[in-house]
Amino acid sequence: MKTILTIITSLLLTATAAAKGTETNSSEAMKKDVERFIKADDKKTGFSHPGTGHYVWNFKYLLNESDAASGRLPQSLKKIDRAFERHTGKATTVLTHSPSDGDSPFHWLSFSWPDTYWSRICFRYNMRDDFTYRFATFTGPDSLRTLYGIVWRREMFYDKDSLPCHTIDGYLIKMTGRHWRIDDLNTTYVPGRNQSNKSKATPTDTTAFVELREKTKYITGLYATHKANNDERGCDAAVYFFHKLAEDLESTLTVKQFDEISDLAKKMYTGSSTCQRNNILVKALASLQRKSKKRFLPGELVRTTYNKPFMKNEFQMKLVSETYACSKETDRQPVKRNISGTVAPGTSKLTFKPITYPFGDYNNIAIGEDGSFTYTYEAEPDQMFEIVDDKGRKYAVIADTVPIVLDMEHRSINASDLNMKFMACQNRIHDYEREAKKYTTDIEMYTQPMDKDGLLALIDSADAATDNIIRANMDNPIAAYYLSGSYANMSYGRLGSLLDSTRVYASHRAMMPVWQFYRNMEKRRPGRMYTDVELSDPDGKTRRLSEYVGHGYVLLYFWNIQDGASRGEIPMLKIMNRRYKDDGLNIIGVYLDSDHNNWARYVEKRGIHWTHLSNLKGFDSEVARAYGITSMPEYVLIGPDGRIVSSGLIGHWLQERIEEIFNKK
């Protein structure tokens, strides 16, 4: 294997004074070439600004058959690639890789830097073997460091009309400052990467537990020391080491043992820590829980999860609190069932997971040398599962009495009439997903729009197709599957038109949170009078909504700092606030969390200049109950007469509604 990996110095090494002048010249030349690349009009470019000093430009080229076959690079990409070759000889650090080199030396690169609100902000990028990437760091005067990086991959796919499409997707990174750093998490150990580590553990081993407990005590002690010294990198390392301990444990734990380790580990959790660090800690504890005898008892399950909009698009993403009645029913006992089939060539990993209640963890499925697999699982009647490979192929199935035979590569199935119909529905939506590749890029592991108008039009078409599938399958669980994934994105009228309590799908367990959500939407239904509620502002002063209603339009914005989807709405709201504040739009941010200090500090540091109120009780707060809020971001727009004008709209659709109202005035 040929791997080009040049590390000229350590990432924090300062070049000699003699070299700095030459390096500065190279850095300036690189800067100009980057600016020319961004302005080039032979591609689609989307700009995002993740944080101070960190800039990302996503790009997409649509290639013709001739250019795709020849392997030629588009002109602007060819120029920037040559720029990296010319200028990086004087860089402090250089990392390069091409698919022809074989395996990538890194599978993840993580950037982090200090922040005015979070102690550190972290962003992680996937470095796959089929990626081409170039990274170069230049050190300038006063130790100011600037990193330029470009990553791209070639892809061929078929659109909804089965026509071949050839693209190059990629992104350009610029990182500048004195305190940022690169955390290179390679293939040996990547925290949180092996999410499907279902226990292969041996029975409870007291010696293994004692060793785990003592090591956890030692790590939490190190964490406390690093925290006292404001050593964020040391804190990161402590959490990473604990995650590795959890992943490497080859013994099961009793409930008491798990609780003891959990109590120790939670000392490393802090609300002001980085999101990435907290997430790694949660994943470590989840890994230990899977290897323990800790189980949740029947009763009421409250589950916080993200909804499942089309292509997981950022325009419709919400965090949703769902409630399930978990009573044991004698006629719903799990029964052994079987799924088998073949994977697509090159597949190395296959997982299986329940996606409706009762929920559970991913389970690895062994793949034979010939690409075949057979898996026996336990499931309640009509329980739904998801089978996923490491190439992004994903299929849902419904547990019934007929064994399932699945062809992962060709999206075909031999099963009951119900599951064959279910696959046909999924393939219908998959046609829209294929078409969406023209308007999006997912090279950063999430769907990033490159053509906003094209994608929004496609989302509307896919939503209409989903509604038709629901209406055509109300006498089977398929309707429940599609409603349970999309209900949080629907308006009151749209959701109501798809609900019929007399049909078979209505009583499926996946429908429990759907009915709950619809009943709550009645509390904020358009045309209904607003509900007056007492809240407090960040200074602790008591306020009532009636102080604001009646003076123009009031937009209640329900949000939370920890929720990325909520934070993602803030730029749009700032635009609406600047544009329509003087015309009578009063935005009120209703904070759904319990940490007053985080709330007050965040709105101050981020310059969010509209009214802020809260009961500091999350979804259990008086204002959330009054308006039936169980998801975020969520909005309620109240007119001058006190009646609710709209609810259920977010992002682009909310902005359209507000513009429609104020442009008519």
Side-chain angles (χ1 to χ4, degrees), residues 590-604:
V590 182
Y591 182 62
L592 297 180
D593 205 344
S594 58
D595 193 321
H596 174 273
N597 292 335
N598 274 358
W599 172 42
R601 189 157 58 93
Y602 188 86
V603 297
E604 176 189 356

Side-chain angles (χ1 to χ4, degrees), residues 203 459 506:
I459 289 172

Side-chain angles (χ1 to χ4, degrees), residues 403-472:
I404 297 169
V405 181
L406 182 64
D407 184 336
M408 296 287 291
E409 180 181 11
H410 299 104
R411 302 188 64 88
S412 63
I413 192 171
N414 186 6
S416 64
D417 290 343
L418 175 62
N419 269 309
M420 293 178 71
K421 186 176 184 181
F422 193 16
M423 179 61 73
C425 294
Q426 293 176 70
N427 286 339
R428 183 177 175 187
I429 299 301
H430 182 65
D431 288 342
Y432 291 94
E433 293 171 351
R434 292 190 302 178
E435 187 75 7
K437 286 181 173 288
K438 294 180 179 178
Y439 311 112
T440 63
T441 177
D442 60 358
I443 191 170
E444 290 187 67
M445 302 184 296
Y446 61 91
T447 301
Q448 177 77 20
M450 301 300 296
D451 181 342
K452 180 180 176 181
D453 292 339
L455 180 59
L456 287 170
L458 191 64
I459 289 172
D460 288 341
S461 297
D463 285 349
T466 299
D467 290 359
N468 288 335
I469 289 173
I470 292 169
R471 292 189 179 97

